Amino acid sequence: MMMGSIVLNFFIGQWVGSAKTKIPIVVGITINILVLIIYKYLSFIIGSLNDVFILFGSFQIKQVNVKLPAGISFYTFHILSYLIDVSRKQFKPQKSFVDLALYICLFPQLIAGPIVRYKDVAKQIMGRTLTSDLFRAGIERFIIGLGKKMIIANTLATAADTAFGCNPQDLTAPAAWFGILCYTLQLYFDFSAYSDMAIGLGKMLGFNFLENFRFPYKSTSIREFWQRWHISLSNWFRDYLYIPLGGNKKSNFRTYLNLYIVFFLTGLWHGASWNFVIWGLAHGTLMVIERLGFGRILEKLPRIVQHFYMLSSVILLWVFFRADHLSGAMGFVQTMFGKWNTGTYTLAMLTDTEIVAIFIIGVIMSVNGFNWLLKKMYKFSILYSVNGPLINSVFRFNRVAFLLMILIYSGMIMATGSYNPFIYFRF
Amino acid sequence: MKSKLNILLLAICLLVIGQIFACNFFTGVLTWVIGAVISVVGTLMFRNTFRDYPLSKSFIILMFLLLIFIPFVGKKQTTSLENRNLAPFPEWRWSNVWQFFFKYQVYFDDRFAYRNELVEHVNKTKIKLFNKSAIPDQVTIGKEDWLFLSRKDYIAAASEVYTEQQLDTIVLNLEVITRYFDNKGIKFYFMMIPLKDRIYPEFLPPLQRVETRNSKLDQIFDRLKNNNVIRSVNCKQELLVGKKVKETFYKTDTHWNMFGTYIGYRKLMARLNEDFPVLQAYKPEEFMVDSTIEFDGDLQKMFGFNDVYKMRSYSYKLKSGAEPITTITTNPKYPNAYFSTKKMPQKVNGLRLYLVRDSFSESLKVFLAVHFDYTSLAWLSILPVTEILSESPDILIQEMHEPYANHLLKLPDEILQDTVFIKHYKKTYLSK
């Protein structure tokens, strides 16, 4: 499937590069989007149409069972990025089939991103220098990612999965809140871990990928959140959809409409389900509200209020992202706000010493708390120490020892569970 | 100095990798010799890369490479901690190339070097740090170090709620089986052993207590309460009372201990006594009872170790010294089942028993066999009707652990295919 895509787009790229009209790029985009729709969205479209038809008692379309190729959303976006960059004459079409194949199926980021724009790696594809320092930096980054996934995300997943695995009416409100908080952290650590590993592996191979996360839960608005969360996806939509649609250069109405279009597609990109569409549109709505003036009001409020607004919005919307069905998401939200009083799954059932410890560590790490603390300690040590080089060595040694401990412990955990899928594999 | 340390570090790493690799093919000093050769050659090849590199940086690179290479170059595991066969090396077929890679992944996951040691260490670490199971979907740690099996399929198999129709089917099937064997002159008894979770709910982790709140055993025996056709034995209540005297289940095992078994045996014998007055359970004082505390338990072993938790065991031995002679047999029709017979050296009462059982009867058979001249045992969850009829026992007992209750939803094929009996049954009992 992927090989077919690469071959086809290699020739489309040549056509786009040599053409003077927009026909080739339109054809290229259409074909790739159609393939994505067939493999990822056809079943969803048929299901949704059947739901409408059933209201009118008319016929039903036969459902199809198409297997989703791994990473199709990611590599389709890579291909589109290549074609659009070539059509904009920013780059010449790839003469080397191998180089194009390398860009599209570069294994560190093939299945779960980040979505590397062609313009960001075009030069590195042609040639790169692998240094010992880059290799070491890659190792360190990879170990950090592995630890985030194996130690933090997977541990918190047990609580989140329990909460979302049972009927919302069986949960107590505190259990539901803890479940979604765990999922909030799990999702960040899972996805950013994968990005860390991809960036780390990239460095080990001589590539420098752009950052994909910059502590999104530190944000004070939804707008800032999207500048820090899944940056590569936001950049992709900004460069290849939002700006071509006119961005914010036209009327206010067009800006808001463009935002809605972008967030509708962002939601749909994450999965073929109405849950994701609602999640995307809700984020779009909050972005529009912030642009309508709420953003300016927010800036005048205390930082803690800004954080509260951003976090409560994001957390509440993660319910729609995580729940299997819309009705399940609604039920979960109702449970969070105490609609039922019938819960048998209590907070105590979701927690244990490890989950609480990892939850606290996760909260601190999600806002870069440990780095802040380490920097303070380092500055303090240097300031009051007579032996600066010794302090440097101690910090360096501790860092190396800590990373190796994470690697060994993560390896031990991996040995206990052969089946360990990444959340973002399904996208 | 720094460059020498770097080169020494590189040499040590290569020596370790080389020695571990050589262990795949050789043993003893030779492995170290091969490791040393690899180390010298590798060091000479890469010395320039590492010579002027800062020690802290080269250390992490070499350690990383060392740690990720060991599972690949080390000796493959040949034994499983999970009480199952390890995946075999996949067969290469041009017709399905991808299948090879999927199967190789399973093969590698099962067998990579030091897997068992890693599993053991992570389990011990988690228990030490958090008193928590690293495999919570297999085993959970309850209060006071009581271990419980927590496999979702196991819990669901014992705790799902039956529909009325399913309960009707179970009762009907048990009635059919009872009458079928009555016709053949064999008295059929059905005995169900509860989950450990039912007897010790106070030690269960809170989540598992909720997940096991429904009991198939309770549902079935509630339905059998007023049934006077089926001869059933439920020892749950007796085990709950008995645990106030002594533990009735092992702390670190899924099974009942010998004291719990004795309670179950007494209940079963009381029921048999109603139809066979000659069968009377031995009294406690007729046994020599010993108690030991030792490291053991199938649940503990699932963690990959057997040296953390201790459990109390009891042994029961008849003071009279009566003991049957055991013979292990095979049956080609059931190649994976375990068959055996127990014969008393002297005639006891002329009665023959056929016990269809699971692992819970490993201890129960010790008590039962001394009451019969001849006992046949089949470790099966379905009734091997042909084999039972060929043995012509006086008594047939089906002992079943609660999670296997769904087997009662289906009649044995041999009974279903006995059209004469089924016709007779429908005419005599169902037409009413």
Side-chain angles (χ1 to χ4, degrees):
Chain A
M1 173 71 207
M2 191 162 56
M3 280 309 290
S5 255
I6 294 167
V7 171
L8 179 69
N9 284 288
F10 177 73
F11 291 110
I12 293 177
Q14 306 291 328
W15 186 27
V16 169
S18 58
K20 292 199 170 66
T21 65
K22 291 208 183 267
I23 294 171
I25 184 66
V26 172
V27 171
I29 290 173
T30 310
I31 290 173
N32 283 291
I33 297 282
L34 269 177
V35 170
L36 184 64
I37 287 173
I38 290 167
Y39 280 96
K40 190 168 174 179
Y41 300 103
L42 192 61
S43 173
F44 168 65
I45 292 168
I46 292 173
S48 301
L49 284 174
N50 282 342
D51 287 344
V52 176
F53 292 155
I54 218 160
L55 291 176
F56 301 102
S58 58
F59 72 97
Q60 293 280 291
I61 306 169
K62 198 181 169 197
Q63 190 55 273
V64 289
N65 184 20
V66 187
K67 283 190 178 166
L68 183 69
I72 190 169
S73 307
F74 286 99
Y75 74 71
T76 303
F77 272 38
H78 285 140
I79 291 168
L80 293 177
S81 166
Y82 164 68
L83 295 179
I84 297 169
D85 284 354
V86 169
S87 82
R88 286 173 178 174
K89 308 293 179 204
Q90 288 174 332
F91 293 94
K92 287 183 177 164
Q94 264 294 353
K95 284 179 186 157
S96 161
F97 175 77
V98 174
D99 282 351
L100 181 67
L102 175 63
Y103 165 62
I104 293 170
C105 53
L106 188 58
F107 87 90
Q109 39 82 35
L110 173 65
I111 298 175
I115 301 165
V116 182
R117 288 168 303 182
Y118 184 66
K119 63 183 173 193
D120 293 329
V121 286
K123 280 183 188 159
Q124 296 178 54
I125 295 248
M126 259 59 109
R128 60 207 161 271
T129 315
L130 175 60
T131 62
S132 311
D133 269 332
L134 194 62
F135 189 75
R136 181 203 36 92
I139 288 175
E140 291 189 6
R141 192 64 187 268
F142 180 83
I143 294 174
I144 289 168
L146 186 67
K148 279 162 85 173
K149 165 71 186 160
M150 299 308 302
I151 301 170
I152 300 179
N154 283 7
T155 305
L156 296 174
T158 55
D161 289 349
T162 306
F164 281 93
C166 57
N167 188 333
Q169 295 186 19
D170 290 341
L171 275 175
T172 60
W177 274 104
F178 188 70
I180 190 59
L181 286 175
C182 282
Y183 182 67
T184 301
L185 290 172
Q186 180 210 344
L187 189 62
Y188 166 64
F189 281 103
D190 195 287
F191 194 17
S192 71
Y194 200 86
S195 293
D196 286 337
M197 285 189 270
I199 291 168
L201 281 169
K203 283 184 194 296
M204 286 187 232
L205 299 169
F207 286 95
N208 273 304
F209 299 140
L210 295 179
E211 289 300 327
N212 208 18
F213 289 88
R214 284 192 300 116
F215 305 102
Y217 296 143
K218 274 173 82 174
S219 311
T220 51
S221 65
I222 296 297
R223 191 177 180 176
E224 190 187 350
F225 174 80
W226 279 101
Q227 287 162 357
R228 291 168 173 270
W229 177 273
H230 204 169
I231 299 165
S232 63
L233 181 71
S234 308
N235 286 350
W236 196 99
F237 273 117
R238 184 196 63 206
D239 290 358
Y240 302 123
L241 185 66
Y242 183 67
I243 292 174
L245 284 172
N248 57 1
K249 302 286 178 210
K250 294 185 178 171
S251 65
N252 280 347
F253 174 76
R254 272 303 294 270
T255 305
Y256 305 145
L257 182 66
N258 292 343
L259 278 172
Y260 267 114
I261 293 170
V262 166
F263 276 95
F264 168 74
L265 291 173
T266 301
L268 210 53
W269 179 88
H270 280 89
S273 148
W274 286 110
N275 275 22
F276 291 113
V277 173
I278 287 174
W279 171 79
L281 287 176
H283 270 277
T285 305
L286 289 171
M287 290 283 276
V288 169
I289 291 170
E290 284 181 16
R291 278 181 178 267
L292 278 168
F294 181 68
R296 283 193 294 279
I297 298 170
L298 202 62
E299 279 168 18
K300 288 174 191 158
L301 296 171
R303 255 183 107 74
I304 191 159
V305 179
Q306 297 174 17
H307 280 300
F308 178 77
Y309 152 73
M310 186 283 301
L311 276 175
S312 53
S313 310
V314 167
I315 289 169
L316 208 59
L317 292 175
W318 283 143
V319 175
F320 292 87
F321 197 88
R322 173 61 178 82
D324 292 331
H325 305 286
L326 206 52
S327 56
M330 293 308 295
F332 199 92
V333 172
Q334 286 172 329
T335 303
M336 285 166 68
F337 292 99
K339 165 138 192 208
W340 334 101
N341 223 356
T342 53
T344 46
Y345 286 80
T346 61
L347 182 60
M349 291 176 190
L350 263 58
T351 55
D352 57 45
T353 324
E354 186 193 22
I355 288 175
V356 170
I358 295 291
F359 182 83
I360 293 166
I361 291 170
V363 169
I364 296 169
M365 277 182 69
S366 69
V367 291
N368 204 15
F370 283 121
N371 261 354
W372 178 83
L373 197 68
L374 273 175
K375 275 183 190 162
K376 291 274 173 204
M377 278 169 63
Y378 180 74
K379 274 186 189 167
F380 182 83
S381 308
I382 291 289
L383 197 65
Y384 292 98
S385 165
V386 284
N387 194 341
L390 178 70
I391 293 293
N392 273 331
S393 299
V394 168
F395 268 80
R396 265 206 310 271
F397 172 77
N398 283 344
R399 181 179 163 79
V400 170
F402 184 64
L403 286 170
L404 288 174
M405 270 169 54
I406 290 175
L407 177 65
I408 293 168
Y409 190 58
S410 301
M412 283 161 63
I413 297 173
M414 280 170 80
T416 62
S418 303
Y419 179 68
N420 186 32
F422 283 94
I423 286 183
Y424 262 70
F425 268 5
R426 63 174 166 161
F427 304 128
Chain B
M1 178 64 184
K2 199 189 282 178
S3 64
K4 280 180 186 162
L5 271 175
N6 266 340
I7 289 169
L8 180 67
L9 194 61
L10 174 66
I12 292 170
C13 284
L14 289 171
L15 175 68
V16 173
I17 292 178
Q19 196 272 338
I20 289 172
F21 175 69
C23 282
N24 282 290
F25 314 102
F26 308 101
T27 52
V29 183
L30 191 59
T31 59
W32 288 105
V33 173
I34 293 168
V37 171
I38 292 172
S39 173
V40 170
V41 173
T43 308
L44 288 171
M45 282 170 69
F46 294 107
R47 70 185 188 283
N48 290 337
T49 314
F50 283 91
R51 179 172 284 155
D52 302 319
Y53 205 55
L55 188 63
S56 64
K57 293 180 180 177
S58 53
F59 183 71
I60 197 164
I61 292 175
L62 289 170
M63 283 297 144
F64 178 78
L65 294 177
L66 176 74
L67 290 170
I68 64 164
F69 269 111
I70 285 174
F72 292 96
V73 300
K75 203 171 180 179
K76 297 262 184 299
Q77 306 274 311
T78 51
T79 54
S80 168
L81 296 172
E82 296 131 287
N83 203 17
R84 64 177 173 88
N85 292 328
L86 295 175
F89 189 82
E91 194 185 341
W92 178 267
R93 279 189 190 167
W94 285 106
S95 56
N96 199 344
V97 174
W98 291 114
Q99 202 60 30
F100 175 84
F101 295 107
F102 287 124
K103 286 185 177 169
Y104 184 81
Q105 179 73 54
V106 178
Y107 166 81
F108 181 79
D109 287 345
D110 264 8
R111 293 172 187 259
F112 65 82
Y114 301 107
R115 180 180 190 263
N116 290 351
E117 288 79 2
L118 287 169
V119 169
E120 179 184 343
H121 280 106
V122 78
N123 280 315
K124 281 185 174 171
T125 307
K126 279 221 174 179
I127 288 167
K128 209 171 182 181
L129 286 176
F130 306 112
N131 193 29
K132 181 182 173 177
S133 165
I135 41 169
D137 50 352
Q138 302 282 326
V139 185
T140 48
I141 304 169
K143 286 179 195 158
E144 296 179 25
D145 292 340
W146 277 76
L147 305 184
F148 295 91
L149 190 63
S150 55
R151 270 177 26 207
K152 293 275 177 230
D153 56 344
Y154 177 81
I155 289 176
S159 307
E160 279 166 351
V161 178
Y162 276 133
T163 61
E164 287 297 310
Q165 200 184 351
Q166 284 174 316
L167 285 169
D168 288 343
T169 307
I170 287 172
V171 173
L172 177 66
N173 287 349
L174 284 171
E175 282 183 0
V176 171
I177 293 169
T178 306
R179 289 197 159 116
Y180 178 83
F181 284 108
D182 278 349
N183 273 0
K184 311 282 181 191
I186 301 166
K187 284 214 169 355
F188 171 72
Y189 297 84
F190 166 70
M191 181 185 198
M192 188 171 264
I193 317 292
L195 275 190
K196 179 180 177 180
D197 308 35
R198 314 256 178 258
I199 308 301
Y200 287 97
E202 65 275 25
F203 294 122
L204 274 173
L207 185 61
Q208 197 162 329
R209 202 180 307 163
V210 172
E211 285 169 343
T212 54
R213 61 186 180 272
N214 299 309
S215 161
K216 282 191 176 167
L217 180 139
D218 288 347
Q219 294 171 64
I220 292 169
F221 280 97
D222 270 355
R223 189 54 81 92
L224 294 178
K225 217 181 281 173
N226 301 318
N227 187 301
N228 48 19
V229 176
I230 300 161
R231 303 177 195 96
S232 59
V233 179
N234 177 10
C235 53
K236 181 183 164 188
Q237 199 50 43
E238 286 73 13
L239 288 167
L240 284 167
V241 174
K243 77 173 187 181
K244 290 171 189 161
V245 183
K246 284 181 199 168
E247 286 168 3
T248 52
F249 275 72
Y250 294 113
K251 273 181 87 170
T252 59
D253 197 287
T254 35
H255 299 93
W256 55 7
N257 60 18
M258 286 303 268
F259 178 62
T261 312
Y262 178 71
I263 289 172
Y265 151 79
R266 297 260 310 188
K267 183 77 192 264
L268 176 62
M269 290 301 286
R271 181 64 191 86
L272 293 176
N273 180 260
E274 290 174 22
D275 303 318
F276 298 90
V278 68
L279 293 174
Q280 282 191 329
Y282 285 105
K283 292 177 183 133
E285 54 271 22
E286 291 178 88
F287 289 98
M288 284 188 296
V289 182
D290 270 340
S291 160
T292 52
I293 297 175
E294 56 195 354
F295 291 113
D296 208 349
D298 59 3
L299 293 168
Q300 169 161 235
K301 285 173 190 160
M302 283 175 76
F303 282 127
F305 53 71
N306 195 25
D307 56 358
V308 172
Y309 297 111
K310 285 185 173 174
M311 66 177 205
R312 183 180 288 278
S313 305
Y314 299 101
S315 70
Y316 278 65
K317 203 166 184 192
L318 273 174
K319 286 178 182 167
S320 66
E323 216 170 293
I325 300 156
T326 305
T327 312
I328 292 166
T329 58
T330 54
N331 189 324
K333 196 171 156 191
Y334 303 97
N336 298 321
Y338 179 77
F339 288 85
S340 61
T341 60
K342 285 185 180 289
K343 192 179 177 192
M344 290 301 285
Q346 278 93 36
K347 191 171 186 234
V348 183
N349 48 26
L351 290 174
R352 291 165 73 91
L353 167 70
Y354 201 107
L355 176 61
V356 180
R357 52 99 175 202
D358 53 35
S359 58
F360 276 75
S361 280
E362 275 298 286
S363 47
L364 186 62
K365 69 185 183 188
V366 177
F367 290 106
L368 284 178
V370 291
H371 289 282
F372 299 90
D373 282 13
Y374 189 84
T375 305
S376 292
L377 301 110
W379 193 327
L380 282 167
S381 44
I382 48 161
L383 292 171
V385 177
T386 314
E387 283 68 20
I388 294 166
L389 295 178
S390 70
E391 293 272 351
S392 308
D394 303 285
I395 295 168
L396 166 64
I397 299 171
Q398 183 171 27
E399 173 271 308
M400 182 180 269
H401 187 31
E402 194 178 350
Y404 300 112
N406 276 2
H407 288 287
L408 298 172
L409 289 165
K410 196 174 174 290
L411 271 177
D413 287 341
E414 292 96 327
I415 297 180
L416 277 174
Q417 285 157 8
D418 190 338
T419 46
V420 177
F421 169 75
I422 295 291
K423 207 182 261 178
H424 164 74
Y425 189 90
K426 280 181 182 167
K427 195 175 162 190
T428 317
Y429 302 108
L430 296 186
S431 57
K432 292 171 191 170

